[in-house]
Amino acid sequence: MGTAGGFFAQYIGLPMAFLVGSLVTVSLTSTLSKFIPDNFIFPKRLRLSFVALIGAMIGTAFDPILFSLLDSLWVSLLAVAVFTWCAHYVGFLFYLYLGKLDKATAFFSAAPGGLVEIATMAEETEADTSVVLTLHSLRIILTVTCIPILFFLWNGDQVGSSTGVTINRGDPLSLDIIWLIALATIGSVIALLLRLPAPFLIGSILCSAGVSMTGFVDIDTPAWLLNLAQLIVGAGLGSQLVGLNISRLIKILWLGLIVIVLTTLLSGGFALVLLDQINQPLDVLFITMAPGGITEMSLIALSLGASPVYVASHHLFRIFITVITVGLITRFTRWVI
């Protein structure tokens, strides 16, 4: 069911097709029918293994060229951190007081990034995982599909995947796959020993990014492996979803839409503030701040003639800050648990 959903989502052009498609298909199948037995349990270790693999793939986006940008990069990275905390707080207040969600559910749902790891952490608390997954899926889909439309309405140009640009560098070798598995394993083990929050994702990202930044090895990510990892993670998360009645689902979708509008406006405000501080055009600063997917934002950067490494590094940092912040608050704040 997850595979069917993934290919259908890819066919109609959804972002993160195999993750979103498998998540939606499996969740609907498990809640609206008896196709999946009530006692079925998706292997959590299998899902976490592929979470680590996704982290290793994310880390390969870091490039030694970032060292040459460090003198100006710290300002924009600091702005990303502040934006992440502000967007999280605004979304949390909205979900809590206007959406009437409980504190834990509002907290995890408002996180501006990291669908996979945020949902995994939410499972360990009293949060309503179905609501968290629904709102994060909505955030990804709407953000990365609406931003290209905004650019088209703004200047009449198509950007992103619709232009046919790609960030794939060629046919990866089997050695690349071995590197990815090794970095995911080593990073996860080290993060578990250090008791880092979200160890499977954060440890893999840090380990892979460290190797990639040295320039010692150039790792390319096979598209089929990324699709497979997203498929398994999405199916695993979808199998955890409990049923939502139609009226509650409509309410959740409206809440998510309003928060997405608020965070998009907030990202535009931060881009305007940074315009006088950083030598980058307004449109590049905007996609740097927008809480969308790394791949689509990087493709938009290519369409605009901007550096995809510059844009991707900020989105990686946003995800990193989000997961670290949520992990620390979850560990040390009793009301989340």
Side-chain angles (χ1 to χ4, degrees):
M1 294 306 299
T3 302
F7 277 107
F8 179 74
Q10 185 183 55
Y11 176 75
I12 64 176
L14 286 181
M16 298 177 66
F18 283 88
L19 177 65
V20 175
S22 60
L23 191 157
V24 172
T25 306
V26 174
S27 63
L28 289 176
T29 304
S30 60
T31 56
L32 301 180
S33 72
K34 294 297 182 180
F35 183 79
I36 297 179
D38 293 335
N39 60 348
F40 173 79
I41 299 177
F42 193 92
K44 188 173 182 179
R45 290 183 179 180
L46 176 64
R47 189 183 65 189
L48 291 178
S49 298
F50 278 90
V51 167
L53 196 57
I54 289 175
M57 295 179 193
I58 291 174
T60 61
F62 284 92
D63 192 280
I65 195 174
L66 290 176
F67 286 120
S68 63
L69 303 173
L70 288 179
D71 56 339
S72 60
L73 203 61
W74 70 270
V75 177
S76 53
L77 289 179
L78 178 61
V80 168
V82 176
F83 164 77
T84 300
W85 294 324
C86 290
H88 196 170
Y89 188 63
V90 169
F92 170 71
L93 292 179
F94 184 88
Y95 287 140
L96 181 64
Y97 292 108
L98 297 180
K100 305 300 181 181
L101 301 180
D102 61 87
K103 283 186 176 180
T105 303
F107 174 73
F108 288 107
S109 298
L115 179 153
V116 173
E117 201 61 37
I118 296 299
T120 302
M121 287 189 284
E123 289 177 6
E124 308 297 329
T125 70
E126 298 177 354
D128 189 334
T129 310
S130 63
V131 174
V132 174
L133 284 172
T134 301
L135 289 172
H136 275 279
S137 300
L138 184 68
R139 172 184 60 81
I140 293 173
I141 293 172
L142 288 183
T143 302
V144 302
T145 53
C146 289
I147 285 181
I149 295 176
L150 289 176
F151 273 96
F152 180 76
L153 295 176
W154 185 2
N155 55 23
D157 295 331
Q158 287 188 329
V159 296
S161 55
S162 62
T163 62
V165 295
T166 177
I167 57 176
N168 196 337
R169 292 175 293 173
D171 295 327
L173 304 175
S174 57
L175 185 60
D176 294 311
I177 301 174
I178 295 174
W179 268 109
L180 287 170
I181 295 174
L183 292 172
T185 304
I186 295 171
S188 298
V189 170
I190 294 175
L192 285 169
L193 293 175
L194 296 177
R195 302 187 65 184
L196 294 178
F200 293 94
L201 184 69
I202 295 300
S204 300
I205 289 177
L206 291 177
C207 186
S208 178
V211 172
S212 298
M213 288 283 283
T214 62
F216 173 72
V217 62
D218 186 23
I219 305 172
D220 198 7
T221 299
W224 66 264
L225 185 59
L226 178 59
N227 292 339
L228 175 62
Q230 290 185 350
L231 169 65
I232 291 178
V233 172
L237 291 174
S239 66
Q240 305 293 319
L241 216 59
V242 297
L244 290 172
N245 59 59
I246 297 299
S247 60
R248 182 164 172 76
L249 179 61
I250 293 175
K251 175 187 175 182
I252 290 171
L253 293 177
W254 273 110
L255 288 174
L257 180 61
I258 295 173
V259 170
I260 290 168
V261 172
L262 291 176
T263 54
T264 302
L265 292 174
L266 188 62
S267 61
F270 269 79
L272 286 172
V273 171
L274 290 174
L275 192 59
D276 294 331
Q277 309 295 326
I278 300 175
N279 186 26
Q280 292 287 345
L282 180 61
D283 50 5
V284 174
L285 292 175
F286 175 66
I287 63 172
T288 297
M289 290 290 165
I294 297 174
T295 301
E296 187 65 21
M297 295 300 108
S298 299
L299 291 175
I300 293 175
L302 281 174
S303 305
L304 296 174
S307 169
V309 175
Y310 178 84
V311 173
S313 63
H314 288 78
H315 285 284
L316 291 169
F317 188 67
R318 170 177 55 83
I319 295 173
F320 180 79
I321 288 292
T322 300
V323 175
I324 285 290
T325 301
V326 171
L328 291 175
I329 293 177
T330 303
R331 178 177 296 179
F332 296 109
T333 305
R334 298 302 305 174
W335 62 259
V336 176
I337 302 174

